[in-house]
Amino acid sequence: MPAELRPTPSSRGSQLPVISLFAGAGGLDLAVERVADAPLSSPSSPTPGPYRVAVATDYAPQALDTLALNLPGTVTLSGDIRETSTSELLRAGSMASGDAALVIGGPPCTPFSKSGFWLAEKRESRDPNASLLEEYVRVVAQSKPEAFVLENVQALTYKTHKAHFDQLLSALTELGYNPQWKTLLAADYGVPQLRKRVFIVGRRDGKAYKFPEPTHAGPSETTRTWDLSKLPHVTAQQAFEGLVTTPEKGELLEGKYGELAAEIPGGQNYLWHTSRYGGRDEFEWRSRYWTFLLRLAADKPSSTLQAQPGPYVGPFHWENLPNEEGNLRARRLRVPELLRLMTFPDDFRLIGSRADIQRQLGNAVPMELGKAVLRALTLQLGYVDPETVNDDRLVRSTSSAVLIS
């Protein structure tokens, strides 16, 4: 499919241009453009920062429609990255090789996701889409950005995919970018979601990127002790504070498991209905995925939001609502609640059906997690003077980057 070029926006002053690959609905793009905003804030008028997303590309035109609706100053290219040349991206963003401050993006995680391990080709790392990592490297090699940020699922670092991962790091090292990688838990950076993602960051000058220190701490699937000097994880209930929502069509969980789901307490899943817990003895122990009939716990962060959940895959809200017959049923999360769990602005607009919206948000990078990684990179690249930092708002003037208090 040839790339489809959309209208070119007007210039946005002296902000540094960014190339966004596999942009989707724009989670990392939002983080780039709002990196100057204070953490955990989504003002209606974002603070101008040092960057602008000059061009964004993705295979899914609908996701790009969403991105364009929220970032109207970005040129979008719809098409297969394997058929989109770097020169085409540079031309669309009015850049030459070496002009871009950053290349950002998360190649589709399907080949490396744990949820795909039931397919032999994914367990054995034979998925042809894994080649999209090579396309990312190709664009970095040819566009020569000052730095890059690559995001993916944690499973990319597993032994199963070691060959792909090592090849990726080797290729980026040969380009002189000295790539550094780390798996980050979104909740440790103020995101009300226990979502793990690996980030790989490299600088053209070869200096090693230093990942930001977590600002929050708390229990997780693999954490039983944590740093009490940090802020506690943001809970789902805290995330929803002040949010007014309206019922959505089809939000109640009906069908075979609707009654069972309504009986499961917040924070529990189908295991509630096994012989070991207090519900009905309906299921064998550990016979389903953890997310089957999973309910949100109000006092904890959410589990990872999935892009394409089955009809009985959670997390579902902790509250029950009556259906037309007056029977209590669990309900699916509403779009404004999904936005809060992804730390997207409340006024973020999405195009498509409810399933389309779930897919776009489930595939996105939580904005605050992206901001944390990008804020650290911005400081280390010297666009702000770390000695004068007295808050986290970064502002770029026409001549240099400065901080305001």
Side-chain angles (χ1 to χ4, degrees), residues 67-329:
L67 185 150
L69 189 63
N70 295 278
L71 298 178
T74 297
V75 178
T76 57
L77 278 169
S78 174
D80 189 333
I81 190 64
R82 290 167 291 197
E83 300 175 10
T84 304
S85 67
T86 305
S87 59
E88 189 175 1
L89 289 168
L90 292 171
R91 185 167 58 253
S94 301
M95 291 176 282
S97 180
D99 286 349
L102 307 173
V103 166
I104 62 171
C109 60
T110 312
F112 314 108
S113 174
K114 286 193 296 183
S115 64
F117 269 31
W118 61 279
L119 293 174
E121 67 176 11
K122 293 180 181 179
R123 288 196 306 273
E124 298 166 12
S125 203
R126 292 187 284 111
D127 193 304
N129 284 331
S131 66
L132 295 176
L133 293 172
E134 299 172 7
E135 299 300 326
Y136 187 101
V137 173
R138 183 256 301 174
V139 174
V140 170
Q142 296 175 350
S143 65
K144 297 179 173 59
E146 188 170 1
F148 70 83
V149 176
L150 190 156
E151 175 269 348
N152 217 289
V153 293
Q154 181 189 16
L156 175 61
T157 66
Y158 292 174
K159 290 181 179 180
T160 309
H161 306 300
K162 187 178 188 305
H164 282 307
F165 192 55
D166 288 350
Q167 183 179 7
L168 172 65
L169 295 178
S170 177
L172 293 167
T173 299
E174 289 177 7
L175 295 176
Y177 279 85
N178 189 14
Q180 306 296 306
W181 69 273
K182 191 173 185 179
T183 298
L184 304 180
L185 178 65
D188 288 347
Y189 297 89
V191 177
Q193 192 178 160
L194 296 171
R195 186 186 192 104
K196 287 186 176 180
R197 287 294 184 268
V198 63
F199 284 82
I200 307 172
V201 185
R203 296 174 49 164
R204 187 174 62 199
D205 61 11
K207 294 182 179 180
Y209 169 77
K210 296 180 181 179
F211 281 91
E213 287 295 317
T215 54
H216 295 66
S220 69
E221 184 181 352
T222 56
T223 304
R224 296 295 177 265
T225 60
W226 56 91
D227 188 348
L228 296 177
S229 69
K230 298 187 184 299
L231 295 169
H233 283 165
V234 178
T235 69
Q237 190 167 50
Q238 289 172 327
F240 297 162
E241 185 176 353
L243 187 63
V244 178
T245 64
T246 56
E248 296 176 357
K249 183 179 179 181
E251 70 177 8
L252 297 185
L253 190 60
E254 299 284 5
K256 180 179 180 181
Y257 301 114
E259 186 176 344
L260 292 174
E263 298 173 2
I264 297 174
Q268 298 288 339
N269 60 3
Y270 79 97
L271 293 175
W272 181 256
H273 290 301
T274 65
S275 59
R276 303 194 189 189
Y277 281 92
R280 310 182 196 182
D281 188 3
E282 292 282 343
F283 302 103
E284 294 295 327
W285 183 255
R286 292 185 177 174
S287 59
R288 305 288 182 118
Y289 281 110
W290 173 257
T291 50
F292 186 69
L293 303 185
L294 177 65
R295 306 292 298 271
L296 273 181
D299 61 348
K300 296 178 181 178
S302 169
S303 60
T304 299
L305 299 180
Q306 297 193 23
Q308 294 177 289
Y312 302 110
V313 171
F316 301 102
H317 201 282
W318 59 80
E319 73 174 9
N320 290 324
L321 294 177
N323 62 12
E324 293 181 356
E325 290 75 35
N327 300 314
L328 290 178
R329 293 290 182 261

Side-chain angles (χ1 to χ4, degrees), residues 356-378:
D356 295 330
I357 288 171
Q358 178 86 33
R359 181 170 58 254
Q360 291 174 42
L361 291 178
N363 282 329
V365 178
M367 186 181 75
E368 286 300 328
L369 179 58
K371 278 172 59 179
V373 173
L374 286 157
R375 185 183 297 112
L377 179 59
T378 301

